[in-house]
Amino acid sequence: MISSRSYPATIAAPVEHELVIKKSRFIARVEPVASVEEADAVIARIRKQWWDARHNCTAMITGLLGDQARSSDDGEPSGTAGVPMLEVLRRRELTDVVAVVTRYFGGVKLGAGGLVRAYSSAVSETLDLASLVHRQSLTQVTIDVAHADAGRYDNLLREWVLHHGATLGDPRYGGLATFEVWAPAQELDRLADDIAAASAGSVVPVIGAERVVDVSA
């Protein structure tokens, strides 16, 4: 059996959360983004919004596999803000997301350990409020049948995709009726077996390309 490849998730919508630690105000915002440029635009917007804050620390992860990452301490002691924020995103196995934590200093120093905990907690608590969007690789399968059999296979495939984490594309009608199924890799053998059973082996599905889709939120 072929296994479906696992991809990092992202979040469905922006979320914001605030906490106060020893009189310092931490305002965390996490947003989904499609690129580094979009993440930079989010950071610029938030820095403009909270222009009078002491710090606007940032972390981002982008790319389908989460292979692009960047963080900034924005004036906090090195390694006490951006990197801990980034580690939270990594532990949650997220990508295409940017986090900004704005700090209004309250007059009480937190120390290096306190800063790490504060920035980590700000991002972690904010993500607890987010709805996740999971991603999965689906494989295209095309099935050609005679027009006289199209109604029967249409019903069969509509029922099949409901129970196997798959989706149905738009049918095409030419010399034959062509149905398109997008299925997880681990379900391809089952699909082939079910089509073979329904057609007494006369219909053979054709495996095509893969694509990554959002499958839940």
Side-chain angles (χ1 to χ4, degrees):
M1 178 182 292
I2 303 173
S3 297
S4 183
R5 184 172 189 174
S6 176
Y7 291 87
T10 188
I11 62 173
V15 284
E16 189 169 297
H17 176 65
E18 181 175 333
L19 61 160
V20 176
I21 302 173
K22 293 185 178 179
K23 299 183 179 180
S24 277
R25 181 184 176 200
F26 293 86
I27 306 164
R29 186 169 179 87
V30 183
E31 295 197 18
V33 293
S35 64
V36 172
E37 292 74 21
E38 193 172 321
D40 286 338
V42 171
I43 293 168
R45 189 189 76 235
I46 294 175
R47 283 179 171 164
K48 183 177 181 180
Q49 177 183 358
W50 303 112
W51 61 271
D52 58 341
R54 178 75 68 91
H55 307 283
N56 284 286
C57 303
T58 64
M60 71 172 79
I61 299 180
T62 56
L64 184 61
L65 298 176
D67 52 356
Q68 300 178 71
R70 187 192 303 172
S71 65
S72 169
D73 295 312
D74 194 37
E76 293 283 28
S78 179
T80 62
V83 169
M85 291 166 59
L86 185 61
E87 285 305 307
V88 173
L89 301 181
R90 283 175 168 156
R91 285 198 303 272
R92 297 290 184 107
E93 297 183 343
L94 297 174
T95 190
D96 289 340
V97 66
V98 58
V100 182
V101 178
T102 300
R103 182 190 182 192
Y104 282 90
F105 182 56
V108 179
K109 292 184 177 181
L110 302 183
L115 288 172
V116 169
R117 288 189 294 273
Y119 282 99
S120 297
S121 296
V123 175
S124 183
E125 290 181 18
T126 304
L127 288 173
D128 288 342
L129 304 174
S131 296
L132 293 183
V133 176
H134 299 284
R135 290 169 169 173
Q136 183 180 25
S137 175
L138 298 180
T139 300
Q140 181 193 49
V141 181
T142 54
I143 301 153
D144 292 331
V145 301
H147 287 277
D149 296 323
R152 182 166 68 90
Y153 281 93
D154 182 67
N155 291 332
L156 183 154
L157 292 172
R158 286 183 186 279
E159 181 69 18
W160 193 90
V161 298
L162 292 176
H163 301 286
H164 298 277
T167 61
L168 198 60
D170 293 330
R172 302 186 301 275
Y173 296 96
L176 296 170
T178 299
F179 293 96
E180 180 185 69
V181 175
W182 290 88
Q186 67 270 21
E187 298 291 344
L188 296 178
D189 289 344
R190 172 66 64 84
L191 178 58
D193 290 344
D194 289 347
I195 293 298
S199 67
S202 64
V203 176
V204 179
V206 176
I207 305 299
E210 293 184 18
R211 70 179 181 188
V212 177
V213 298
D214 295 343
V215 294
S216 64

